[in-house]
Amino acid sequence: MLAATMAWSCAGKEDAIKEEVKFVQVQGHDLINPDGSKLFIVGTNLGNWLNPEGYMFGFQRMNAPRQINEVICKLVGPDKAAEFWAQFKDNYITKDDIDFIASTGANTIRLPFHYKLFTDEDYMGLTSAQDGFARVDSVVNWCRADNLYLILDMHDAPGGQTGDNIDDSYGYPWLLESEASQKLFCDIWRSIADRYKDEPVILGYELINEPIATYFDNQEELNAKLEPLHKKAVAAIREVDKNHVILIGAPQWNSNFEPLKDTDYDPQLMFTCHRYGGPATADAIRSYIEFRDKSNRPMYMGEIGHNTDEWQAEFVKTMKDNNIGYTFWPYKKKDDSCMMGVKMPEEWDEVIRFAEGPHHTFAEIRDAKPDRKRAQAALDKFIEQCKQKNCIPQEGYITSMGLKVPGQNATVENGQDKELVSQVR
């Protein structure tokens, strides 16, 4: 599928002109595989791995990546914290996880990442020579072996695009107002695109996740600055990569498409929406469907989930009925409401109590933190528990996604149920 060849014959000429098509193409409302068949995205997100989120560790107050790192540094010191992050990146997502995802019948993985992985800024235990390309390369190789597509999602952009914990910002979407941050943003995307310009495993580049939260009085002013930023980043990517799809999200949690006026400035654009909660009917995503129809571009549900199995199964039917592919959020986290649940070590409750308690002053840090050995034991055991072999498949969650639990009777074919595949073919 990923390396298929399409051929067109030239009228009036004896020899056919053959052109190798490596990449997924945008065609109206649809995505088209290199072999000419329709691609309907079904898969999951590798959230928390390269952009840690507090709630996936059981934290509520310390919930941005730098805050989580601060908690760990206070518990065991910066050197041990750096060791923890190295082990976390080595073990939280491995080939075993990608193999498992593929075995469910998924066809696509969305990979959220922090921009700092491609700079020399302090992040996840490294202060220079970040390993972003090495981490992405590993996922590309694993996906290639399992015939999966990969979407690269900049979840945390320079300056912050959202203004909340999910973008590791300082409480405001400074990216929209900072020329320096915008330049870095475009430079990083250009370098990523240059590295992967010939890689057919990459489905596309998602410029920024959930830009501009709903909390700001100048929301309309910020919204107006988003599309020009999109165009800057698209232009930077197209300097080196003319082929890959580029995914565009909307302000206010990828839900408000009204500020996006120009949908034709690149032939390989598609749009991405998110939905958590509310009714699981088409009326809940009516504005997404109408924007998709108006723009004549594919619409993709990049994040959905954190609900009952019944709600999720109903929404999957809604998305299939309306030709909106999807990746559920997230693949793995603490406990459940995901594909793979991490069973937390008993000492982890002490880590949570410290993270949620007062530790602003040095006296508070000394008084509140648990015994260092128990804290280290909690971190060490967490690394062991997060390995795929020790996680607990959430069978109801998986089947609600329209996928199959490995080892059970197949209900899907290449990420699509058999009825849908027959319609496409």
Side-chain angles (χ1 to χ4, degrees):
M1 179 175 67
L2 296 179
T5 299
M6 297 176 62
W8 292 265
S9 60
C10 236
K13 292 187 178 181
E14 184 175 351
D15 297 328
I17 298 175
K18 294 184 178 180
E19 179 181 351
E20 185 180 17
V21 177
K22 295 182 178 180
F23 307 99
V24 172
Q25 302 292 308
V26 170
Q27 188 177 103
H29 296 174
D30 298 327
L31 293 174
I32 304 300
N33 286 307
D35 65 2
S37 63
K38 176 179 171 180
L39 168 65
F40 184 83
I41 294 174
V42 177
T44 190
N45 286 265
L46 302 184
N48 202 43
W49 182 39
L50 301 181
N51 68 312
E53 292 195 42
Y55 82 98
M56 298 200 202
F57 292 93
F59 306 159
Q60 295 299 320
R61 193 168 68 86
M62 304 297 280
N63 52 7
R66 69 177 185 280
Q67 293 174 320
I68 300 167
N69 180 66
E70 181 182 335
V71 168
I72 297 173
C73 286
K74 289 175 178 177
L75 287 171
V76 296
D79 294 340
K80 289 295 184 181
E83 291 179 13
F84 169 80
W85 287 122
Q87 293 173 359
F88 179 85
K89 286 186 284 187
D90 285 345
N91 291 284
Y92 196 81
I93 296 296
T94 67
K95 186 178 185 302
D96 289 342
D97 293 285
I98 306 306
D99 290 346
F100 178 85
I101 293 168
S103 73
T104 68
N107 60 28
T108 302
I109 287 172
R110 180 173 179 251
L111 177 58
F113 66 86
H114 200 302
Y115 84 90
K116 289 182 180 179
L117 285 163
F118 301 93
T119 69
D120 283 332
E121 297 182 57
D122 184 3
Y123 186 63
M124 293 187 81
L126 294 176
T127 55
S128 64
Q130 287 286 352
D131 57 355
F133 281 123
R135 298 295 172 178
V136 175
D137 285 351
S138 65
V139 183
V140 167
N141 290 332
W142 299 334
C143 285
R144 183 184 299 109
D146 282 327
N147 203 31
L148 293 168
Y149 284 118
L150 183 64
I151 294 171
L152 301 183
D153 155 46
M154 188 181 288
H155 221 73
D156 314 71
Q161 76 279 3
T162 305
D164 208 348
N165 67 293
I166 61 170
D167 67 352
D168 203 22
S169 70
Y170 291 92
Y172 186 81
W174 297 107
L175 173 65
L176 277 298
E177 297 184 358
S178 167
E179 290 187 10
S181 291
Q182 290 185 18
K183 182 180 184 304
L184 179 58
F185 173 66
C186 292
D187 288 346
I188 292 171
W189 269 123
R190 186 186 296 105
S191 67
I192 291 172
D194 191 41
R195 187 179 186 92
Y196 298 113
K197 59 182 179 291
D198 297 319
E199 181 49 72
V201 169
I202 302 291
L203 190 158
Y205 311 123
E206 184 172 339
L207 297 183
I208 39 178
N209 174 71
E210 295 187 348
I212 313 167
T214 57
Y215 312 130
F216 308 109
D217 294 336
N218 62 336
Q219 178 177 294
E220 290 188 11
E221 177 187 345
L222 290 169
N223 287 353
K225 295 178 179 180
L226 183 60
E227 191 165 80
L229 177 61
H230 286 158
K231 291 182 177 181
K232 281 185 182 180
V234 169
I237 289 170
R238 292 305 183 219
E239 289 176 19
V240 295
D241 182 347
K242 307 294 185 185
N243 296 306
H244 280 99
V245 172
I246 297 177
L247 293 87
I248 302 295
Q252 289 77 66
W253 316 115
N254 273 14
S255 69
N256 177 17
F257 286 88
E258 179 61 28
L260 304 185
K261 305 298 185 183
D262 187 355
T263 61
D264 290 324
Y265 55 92
D266 189 275
Q268 283 283 79
L269 290 185
M270 64 179 287
F271 295 94
T272 175
C273 57
H274 292 175
R275 185 74 183 185
Y276 291 100
T281 63
D283 287 340
I285 54 173
R286 183 65 57 196
S287 65
Y288 303 166
I289 296 169
E290 290 174 351
F291 181 82
R292 185 269 311 276
D293 293 346
K294 178 182 177 182
S295 66
N296 195 32
R297 300 280 182 169
M299 180 64 76
Y300 147 69
M301 185 72 72
E303 292 183 24
I304 190 168
H306 287 324
N307 215 302
T308 65
D309 294 344
E310 293 76 17
W311 182 93
Q312 293 183 168
E314 184 179 354
F315 221 128
V316 162
K317 183 178 185 306
T318 295
M319 290 185 290
K320 288 182 177 179
D321 287 347
N322 290 279
N323 192 27
I324 295 177
Y326 55 89
T327 47
F328 270 69
W329 181 276
Y331 163 66
K332 178 189 287 188
K333 73 175 187 66
K334 175 184 181 291
D335 297 331
D336 54 12
S337 192
C338 57
M339 292 179 74
M340 272 290 192
V342 179
K343 184 174 176 58
M344 307 301 280
E346 61 180 23
E347 295 93 339
W348 200 257
D349 287 343
E350 298 178 44
V351 174
I352 292 176
R353 278 195 294 272
F354 176 73
E356 298 302 292
H359 47 85
H360 296 291
T361 69
F362 289 101
E364 287 176 340
I365 295 170
R366 291 191 295 270
D367 292 342
K369 71 179 182 180
D371 175 77
R372 184 187 303 176
K373 290 183 178 179
R374 286 185 61 80
Q376 186 64 59
L379 296 173
D380 292 342
K381 290 179 182 179
F382 173 84
I383 294 299
E384 188 63 27
Q385 290 299 101
C386 79
K387 294 177 180 178
Q388 192 272 341
K389 65 180 181 180
N390 294 324
C391 291
I392 304 169
Q394 307 297 300
E395 296 185 359
Y397 189 98
I398 293 168
T399 55
S400 76
M401 296 168 60
L403 299 174
K404 63 182 175 68
V405 177
Q408 297 183 3
N409 292 332
T411 59
V412 295
E413 181 179 327
N414 292 328
Q416 303 171 53
D417 63 39
K418 292 179 180 178
E419 180 182 358
L420 180 63
V421 170
S422 67
Q423 293 171 0
V424 171
R425 291 177 180 169

